[in-house]
Amino acid sequence: MTAGIRITWTLGAHGWADCVVEDHQAKAELTASYISNAPEEFLTAVARLVAGETEARAQFEAEPTAYRWIFYREAADVWIRLLELRRGSDHDNRGTQIWSSQLPIDALARAVVRCFDEVSRTYSESGYRGKWGEHFPRTELEALRRLWHAHRHDDGT
């Protein structure tokens, strides 16, 4: 695992993906449908945190269930809460927390970049489009990668 966190994104039937997030304490398995921009939202949320925002969110729709990522950043650390909701429109307090972790923002960014680099290697961008039904989130991945590298350079790492 990368600094205590590992994220995998595996394409299943057309328009569906399974995501697994795990750290040294727990593991959560969730599903995403292409009816929402789940990968783009997720990558953008992490990029916003790397850029300095203190809160970001992303949601995976699983028809009708939804999985909501809630990120809180304080200094160089980020606290992640992952909620399962009966419906995507439900308020956070209606969800069940299925995973949480606190880690350095650098470790989160590294894990997310590695996850989607692996997706690109495994499926190729055209294969991804064929299975997922939408383009590979190259723009969002490269934006996160640029911010992460700049962040690491600023920190001297």
Side-chain angles (χ1 to χ4, degrees):
M1 275 188 250
T2 303
I5 184 173
R6 178 172 168 79
I7 303 168
T8 57
W9 180 269
T10 307
L11 298 176
H14 181 76
W16 290 93
D18 294 314
C19 180
V20 176
V21 58
E22 57 188 311
D23 62 12
H24 61 281
Q25 295 180 334
K27 174 179 174 178
E29 299 178 16
L30 37 145
T31 303
S33 165
Y34 74 128
I35 66 163
S36 69
N37 296 324
E40 293 87 352
E41 249 187 69
F42 184 63
L43 288 159
T44 299
V46 175
R48 289 175 45 211
L49 292 166
V50 171
E53 291 193 26
T54 57
E55 184 175 338
R57 292 165 174 260
Q59 186 159 302
F60 294 179
E61 297 293 338
E63 305 178 60
T65 302
Y67 297 94
R68 187 170 299 148
W69 298 80
I70 305 171
F71 303 95
Y72 299 103
R73 180 177 176 172
E74 187 174 314
D77 290 332
V78 62
W79 179 44
I80 306 166
R81 292 179 63 214
L82 183 54
L83 305 178
E84 181 176 359
L85 300 125
R86 288 173 51 123
R87 289 181 311 279
S89 60
D90 285 351
H91 189 278
D92 291 351
N93 64 12
R94 307 267 330 239
T96 301
Q97 184 170 296
I98 60 170
W99 185 82
S100 69
S101 188
Q102 184 174 353
L103 62 151
I105 187 65
D106 184 64
L108 174 63
R110 181 183 313 117
V112 173
V113 167
R114 285 185 177 174
C115 169
F116 282 92
D117 280 347
E118 182 63 26
V119 169
S120 179
R121 277 191 299 275
T122 299
Y123 301 101
S124 79
E125 293 194 23
S126 63
Y128 178 93
R129 181 176 167 93
K131 284 191 77 68
W132 180 246
E134 298 293 337
H135 290 288
F136 181 79
R138 176 61 58 197
T139 301
E140 292 81 3
L141 175 59
E142 294 310 320
L144 172 57
R145 189 187 317 275
R146 281 190 303 278
L147 285 166
W148 174 49
H149 285 296
H151 174 266
R152 292 176 65 214
H153 179 71
D154 290 346
D155 287 351
T157 55

